[in-house]
mmCIF file with all atom_site columns, all heavy atoms in Angstrom:
data_model
loop_
_atom_site.group_PDB
_atom_site.id
_atom_site.type_symbol
_atom_site.label_atom_id
_atom_site.label_alt_id
_atom_site.label_comp_id
_atom_site.label_asym_id
_atom_site.label_entity_id
_atom_site.label_seq_id
_atom_site.pdbx_PDB_ins_code
_atom_site.Cartn_x
_atom_site.Cartn_y
_atom_site.Cartn_z
_atom_site.occupancy
_atom_site.B_iso_or_equiv
_atom_site.pdbx_formal_charge
_atom_site.auth_seq_id
_atom_site.auth_comp_id
_atom_site.auth_asym_id
_atom_site.auth_atom_id
_atom_site.pdbx_PDB_model_num
ATOM 1  N N   . HIS A 1 23  ? -6.175  20.408 5.454   1.00 88.00 ? 32  HIS A N   1
ATOM 2  C CA  . HIS A 1 23  ? -7.315  19.526 5.183   1.00 88.00 ? 32  HIS A CA  1
ATOM 3  C C   . HIS A 1 23  ? -6.912  18.055 5.291   1.00 88.00 ? 32  HIS A C   1
ATOM 4  O O   . HIS A 1 23  ? -7.698  17.222 5.735   1.00 88.00 ? 32  HIS A O   1
ATOM 5  C CB  . HIS A 1 23  ? -7.886  19.802 3.791   1.00 88.00 ? 32  HIS A CB  1
ATOM 6  C CG  . HIS A 1 23  ? -8.717  21.039 3.712   1.00 88.00 ? 32  HIS A CG  1
ATOM 7  N ND1 . HIS A 1 23  ? -9.984  21.120 4.214   1.00 88.00 ? 32  HIS A ND1 1
ATOM 8  C CD2 . HIS A 1 23  ? -8.444  22.261 3.190   1.00 88.00 ? 32  HIS A CD2 1
ATOM 9  C CE1 . HIS A 1 23  ? -10.464 22.323 3.996   1.00 88.00 ? 32  HIS A CE1 1
ATOM 10 N NE2 . HIS A 1 23  ? -9.542  23.051 3.383   1.00 88.00 ? 32  HIS A NE2 1
ATOM 11 N N   . MET A 1 24  ? -5.707  17.735 4.885   1.00 89.00 ? 33  MET A N   1
ATOM 12 C CA  . MET A 1 24  ? -5.264  16.332 4.855   1.00 89.00 ? 33  MET A CA  1
ATOM 13 C C   . MET A 1 24  ? -4.796  15.831 6.217   1.00 89.00 ? 33  MET A C   1
ATOM 14 O O   . MET A 1 24  ? -4.801  14.631 6.471   1.00 89.00 ? 33  MET A O   1
ATOM 15 C CB  . MET A 1 24  ? -4.136  16.142 3.832   1.00 89.00 ? 33  MET A CB  1
ATOM 16 C CG  . MET A 1 24  ? -4.557  16.377 2.395   1.00 89.00 ? 33  MET A CG  1
ATOM 17 S SD  . MET A 1 24  ? -5.772  15.190 1.855   1.00 89.00 ? 33  MET A SD  1
ATOM 18 C CE  . MET A 1 24  ? -7.139  16.226 1.460   1.00 89.00 ? 33  MET A CE  1
ATOM 19 N N   . LYS A 1 58  ? -7.143  6.172  4.546   1.00 91.00 ? 67  LYS A N   1
ATOM 20 C CA  . LYS A 1 58  ? -8.277  6.898  5.125   1.00 91.00 ? 67  LYS A CA  1
ATOM 21 C C   . LYS A 1 58  ? -8.584  8.159  4.322   1.00 91.00 ? 67  LYS A C   1
ATOM 22 O O   . LYS A 1 58  ? -9.741  8.464  4.029   1.00 91.00 ? 67  LYS A O   1
ATOM 23 C CB  . LYS A 1 58  ? -7.980  7.296  6.580   1.00 91.00 ? 67  LYS A CB  1
ATOM 24 C CG  . LYS A 1 58  ? -8.228  6.208  7.588   1.00 91.00 ? 67  LYS A CG  1
ATOM 25 C CD  . LYS A 1 58  ? -8.261  6.796  8.996   1.00 91.00 ? 67  LYS A CD  1
ATOM 26 C CE  . LYS A 1 58  ? -6.862  6.777  9.575   1.00 91.00 ? 67  LYS A CE  1
ATOM 27 N NZ  . LYS A 1 58  ? -6.804  7.231  10.972  1.00 91.00 ? 67  LYS A NZ  1
ATOM 28 N N   . LYS A 1 83  ? 6.600   5.479  -10.810 1.00 54.00 ? 92  LYS A N   1
ATOM 29 C CA  . LYS A 1 83  ? 7.832   4.855  -10.337 1.00 54.00 ? 92  LYS A CA  1
ATOM 30 C C   . LYS A 1 83  ? 7.697   4.220  -8.963  1.00 54.00 ? 92  LYS A C   1
ATOM 31 O O   . LYS A 1 83  ? 8.175   3.132  -8.733  1.00 54.00 ? 92  LYS A O   1
ATOM 32 C CB  . LYS A 1 83  ? 8.946   5.891  -10.334 1.00 54.00 ? 92  LYS A CB  1
ATOM 33 C CG  . LYS A 1 83  ? 9.207   6.432  -11.711 1.00 54.00 ? 92  LYS A CG  1
ATOM 34 C CD  . LYS A 1 83  ? 10.161  7.596  -11.648 1.00 54.00 ? 92  LYS A CD  1
ATOM 35 C CE  . LYS A 1 83  ? 10.220  8.258  -13.009 1.00 54.00 ? 92  LYS A CE  1
ATOM 36 N NZ  . LYS A 1 83  ? 9.987   9.661  -12.968 1.00 54.00 ? 92  LYS A NZ  1
ATOM 37 N N   . ALA A 1 112 ? 26.383  33.342 0.583   1.00 89.00 ? 121 ALA A N   1
ATOM 38 C CA  . ALA A 1 112 ? 27.040  33.847 -0.622  1.00 89.00 ? 121 ALA A CA  1
ATOM 39 C C   . ALA A 1 112 ? 27.466  35.300 -0.438  1.00 89.00 ? 121 ALA A C   1
ATOM 40 O O   . ALA A 1 112 ? 28.564  35.693 -0.857  1.00 89.00 ? 121 ALA A O   1
ATOM 41 C CB  . ALA A 1 112 ? 26.111  33.707 -1.820  1.00 89.00 ? 121 ALA A CB  1
ATOM 42 N N   . LYS A 1 118 ? 33.932  38.583 2.161   1.00 76.00 ? 127 LYS A N   1
ATOM 43 C CA  . LYS A 1 118 ? 35.208  38.054 2.618   1.00 76.00 ? 127 LYS A CA  1
ATOM 44 C C   . LYS A 1 118 ? 36.265  38.201 1.523   1.00 76.00 ? 127 LYS A C   1
ATOM 45 O O   . LYS A 1 118 ? 37.384  38.624 1.771   1.00 76.00 ? 127 LYS A O   1
ATOM 46 C CB  . LYS A 1 118 ? 35.028  36.578 2.970   1.00 76.00 ? 127 LYS A CB  1
ATOM 47 C CG  . LYS A 1 118 ? 35.893  36.068 4.042   1.00 76.00 ? 127 LYS A CG  1
ATOM 48 C CD  . LYS A 1 118 ? 35.547  34.629 4.313   1.00 76.00 ? 127 LYS A CD  1
ATOM 49 C CE  . LYS A 1 118 ? 35.757  34.266 5.751   1.00 76.00 ? 127 LYS A CE  1
ATOM 50 N NZ  . LYS A 1 118 ? 35.514  32.866 6.012   1.00 76.00 ? 127 LYS A NZ  1
ATOM 51 N N   . ARG A 1 139 ? 61.972  53.642 3.359   1.00 56.00 ? 148 ARG A N   1
ATOM 52 C CA  . ARG A 1 139 ? 62.089  54.038 4.758   1.00 56.00 ? 148 ARG A CA  1
ATOM 53 C C   . ARG A 1 139 ? 62.770  52.949 5.564   1.00 56.00 ? 148 ARG A C   1
ATOM 54 O O   . ARG A 1 139 ? 63.585  53.212 6.417   1.00 56.00 ? 148 ARG A O   1
ATOM 55 C CB  . ARG A 1 139 ? 60.707  54.313 5.350   1.00 56.00 ? 148 ARG A CB  1
ATOM 56 C CG  . ARG A 1 139 ? 60.044  55.517 4.779   1.00 56.00 ? 148 ARG A CG  1
ATOM 57 C CD  . ARG A 1 139 ? 58.677  55.696 5.388   1.00 56.00 ? 148 ARG A CD  1
ATOM 58 N NE  . ARG A 1 139 ? 57.924  56.692 4.666   1.00 56.00 ? 148 ARG A NE  1
ATOM 59 C CZ  . ARG A 1 139 ? 56.641  56.885 4.796   1.00 56.00 ? 148 ARG A CZ  1
ATOM 60 N NH1 . ARG A 1 139 ? 55.941  56.132 5.630   1.00 56.00 ? 148 ARG A NH1 1
ATOM 61 N NH2 . ARG A 1 139 ? 56.024  57.805 4.105   1.00 56.00 ? 148 ARG A NH2 1
ATOM 62 N N   . ARG A 1 148 ? 72.764  50.290 11.312  1.00 63.00 ? 157 ARG A N   1
ATOM 63 C CA  . ARG A 1 148 ? 74.082  49.696 11.013  1.00 63.00 ? 157 ARG A CA  1
ATOM 64 C C   . ARG A 1 148 ? 75.206  50.699 11.271  1.00 63.00 ? 157 ARG A C   1
ATOM 65 O O   . ARG A 1 148 ? 76.252  50.366 11.809  1.00 63.00 ? 157 ARG A O   1
ATOM 66 C CB  . ARG A 1 148 ? 74.121  49.228 9.565   1.00 63.00 ? 157 ARG A CB  1
ATOM 67 C CG  . ARG A 1 148 ? 73.330  47.975 9.322   1.00 63.00 ? 157 ARG A CG  1
ATOM 68 C CD  . ARG A 1 148 ? 73.446  47.535 7.890   1.00 63.00 ? 157 ARG A CD  1
ATOM 69 N NE  . ARG A 1 148 ? 72.530  46.434 7.619   1.00 63.00 ? 157 ARG A NE  1
ATOM 70 C CZ  . ARG A 1 148 ? 72.126  46.064 6.425   1.00 63.00 ? 157 ARG A CZ  1
ATOM 71 N NH1 . ARG A 1 148 ? 72.556  46.730 5.370   1.00 63.00 ? 157 ARG A NH1 1
ATOM 72 N NH2 . ARG A 1 148 ? 71.294  45.066 6.267   1.00 63.00 ? 157 ARG A NH2 1
#
Side-chain angles (χ1 to χ4, degrees):
H32 283 285
M33 295 296 119
K67 278 195 270 184
K92 299 171 189 128
K127 211 177 212 184
R148 292 179 191 167
R157 286 182 188 161

